[in-house]
Amino acid sequence: MQVNSKDIDFYNLGFGFIETNKMFISDYKNGNWDEGNLVPLGLIQLSPAASILNYGQGIFEGLKALRAKNGTITLFRPEENAKRFNRSAERLFMPRIDSKKFVDSIKKVVKANEEYIPPYESGGSLYIRPLMIGSGPILGIAPADEYKFIIFSSPVGPYFPEGFKAIDLEISTKYTRSSVGGTGFSKSCSNYAGTMMPAKEAKSRGFSQVLYLDSIHREYVNEVGAANFCAVMDNTLVTPELDGTILEGITLKSVLKLSEKKLNMRTEERKLSYKELFTDACTECFCTGTAAVITPIGSVQIEHSLKVFNKKLPGEITTKLYQLLTGIQRLEIKDDFNWIHEIS
Ligand code: PLP
Ligand code: COI
């Protein structure tokens, strides 16, 4: 049920779905997208034979609209979400969406739901979720011939309830999230279903999330269920190379740029053995994502080996990067890279 924006406690939001006013829907039929339009947020009808329901033919994106101090509404690099959406669409054998249509439709959804953008002081945001599903009926395994492109939004607070506090991760020796040649680099719905049980098990043991390793050697760091992984080693920012098994994070890409250009750090995208995290050279770790922003990692544990970073306090570089990134996103630090879209 739609919630009146006046009844929302924007200062105590978690990362959960709250219904807003409007959503955008565009339909693909006979090889073409219709123009699409804003409609009241509500249920959609699907055939039980829809390809999304049977074979998981679906992809999504995630980005945030923020309210800056002066009231301006900002988006962060939405054209990068458009590019990634189309990379995902290609891998899942789905039709492309014109990037301009993707970004313009997001802006329409934000404007239509403006009253749900949390105030600047709350630190919250309007999370925007573009998605595409195969809606056409299909029985044999083949792409649908009809699709729906939908954008909805929800006001959110921090993804990890800890906020900008360090989280504890369990390195899984049992589960992996993707494999070479698979769909790990894409934001396909099916990549996430398989991470729910591992996350629940890790949480029951007191961890915030799982840190996955590669599926062949069970040694190299892959990523966290919904965020990329970075380690600081000897003043170098190290992140696992994007080998097709890792989602190419827009926050990660931005953090690499900020480390090089603003903190004069070296960056390395390479295979990163989990064993390196347990050496003295590794002084800070954090994860990055739209929902996770930059979340410090207080400890990693694999079986009985535990490594605690910086007494579980956010490290110096992690903190600097967090301040730079969120400062740019909230128009408090000059946007030297043309990352911000202002919505008027
Ligand atoms: N990895 C996974 C599996 C994700 O779901 C996300 C979130 O989008 C990320 C990484 C971080 O990507 P981004 O920074 O583009 O949000
Ligand atoms: C995001 O950070 O936008 C994500 O998609 C992560 C998660 C909520 C799936």
Side-chain angles (χ1 to χ4, degrees):
M1 206 185 67
Q2 195 193 312
V3 183
N4 190 318
S5 62
K6 294 193 180 57
D7 295 331
I8 299 174
D9 179 2
F10 287 115
Y11 289 80
N12 286 296
L13 290 173
F15 197 87
F17 179 49
I18 297 174
E19 288 195 9
T20 56
N21 262 335
K22 295 274 169 71
M23 61 182 180
F24 180 86
I25 300 196
S26 176
D27 284 296
Y28 181 91
K29 274 187 192 147
N30 303 322
N32 290 304
W33 287 107
D34 68 10
E35 223 175 278
N37 50 30
L38 287 170
V39 294
L41 192 132
L43 304 180
I44 53 167
Q45 279 201 321
L46 282 180
S47 158
S51 72
I52 178 66
L53 297 180
N54 292 271
Y55 302 126
Q57 198 189 18
I59 57 171
F60 70 98
E61 270 301 323
L63 67 165
K64 284 173 171 172
L66 298 182
R67 179 80 72 183
K69 207 175 199 165
N70 66 4
T72 308
I73 305 167
T74 67
L75 289 176
F76 187 68
R77 312 187 74 178
E79 64 285 347
E80 292 296 322
N81 295 91
K83 280 189 213 156
R84 189 169 63 191
F85 197 65
N86 280 325
R87 288 200 295 275
S88 301
E90 194 179 329
R91 179 65 180 84
L92 275 278
F93 217 169
M94 302 169 86
R96 292 175 61 84
I97 288 262
D98 175 67
S99 288
K100 186 170 175 334
K101 172 176 176 173
F102 182 94
V103 174
D104 288 349
S105 313
I106 286 172
K107 290 182 178 171
K108 283 184 197 157
V109 170
V110 173
K111 273 309 269 183
N113 296 298
E114 189 171 348
E115 67 195 87
Y116 291 91
I117 305 175
Y120 165 84
E121 294 78 16
S122 72
S125 56
L126 186 72
Y127 185 77
I128 304 149
R129 173 54 62 82
L131 60 106
M132 194 205 300
I133 54 171
S135 51
I138 204 89
L139 204 52
I141 300 175
D145 52 12
E146 292 181 7
Y147 295 84
K148 280 185 185 298
F149 172 54
I150 302 174
I151 307 172
F152 70 87
S153 63
S154 176
V156 296
Y159 186 64
F160 291 108
E162 292 87 343
F164 189 67
K165 294 218 183 80
I167 57 169
D168 299 314
L169 298 181
E170 181 177 45
I171 302 176
S172 183
T173 51
K174 185 172 175 189
Y175 300 110
T176 59
R177 70 168 284 283
S178 64
S179 56
V180 178
T183 57
F185 70 90
S186 71
K187 219 162 156 61
S188 66
C189 303
S190 50
N191 285 349
Y192 295 82
T195 64
M196 293 175 188
M197 192 175 71
K200 176 108 179 39
E201 288 181 6
K203 281 178 192 168
S204 74
R205 290 188 284 269
F207 298 96
S208 293
Q209 257 300 345
V210 177
L211 177 57
Y212 291 97
L213 298 178
D214 78 282
S215 61
I216 298 176
H217 307 93
R218 301 296 185 110
E219 169 158 359
Y220 300 105
V221 175
N222 184 264
E223 58 171 305
V224 183
N228 294 111
F229 183 88
C230 290
V232 180
M233 304 176 72
D234 297 326
N235 204 39
T236 300
L237 191 80
V238 184
T239 191
E241 68 185 349
L242 301 172
D243 60 356
T245 67
I246 295 175
L247 189 84
E248 301 180 10
I250 297 161
T251 319
L252 174 68
K253 193 168 160 175
S254 312
V255 158
L256 289 169
K257 183 73 138 223
L258 290 171
S259 310
E260 284 171 8
K261 302 286 178 211
K262 297 286 174 187
L263 302 184
N264 291 320
M265 288 177 70
R266 273 171 24 91
T267 61
E268 286 176 4
E269 294 177 56
R270 63 166 170 83
K271 279 194 190 319
L272 172 63
S273 166
Y274 78 83
K275 291 175 189 156
E276 294 181 65
L277 310 181
F278 288 79
T279 63
D280 290 341
C282 182
T283 46
E284 292 178 40
C285 287
F286 58 88
C287 52
T288 65
T290 298
V293 192
I294 290 178
T295 301
I297 295 170
S299 70
V300 292
Q301 184 167 337
I302 183 163
E303 294 176 327
H304 297 294
S305 305
L306 173 73
K307 168 81 182 271
V308 174
F309 300 99
N310 201 37
K311 298 184 182 146
K312 293 204 182 182
L313 294 170
E316 192 187 329
I317 290 167
T318 310
T319 306
K320 278 187 190 157
L321 286 169
Y322 177 83
Q323 286 165 347
L324 277 168
L325 179 74
T326 55
I328 293 171
Q329 289 174 334
R330 304 178 84 190
L331 303 184
E332 279 151 9
I333 294 177
K334 194 163 159 273
D335 171 23
D336 288 336
F337 309 106
N338 280 325
W339 285 341
I340 301 296
H341 284 225
E342 296 188 5
I343 302 181
S344 48

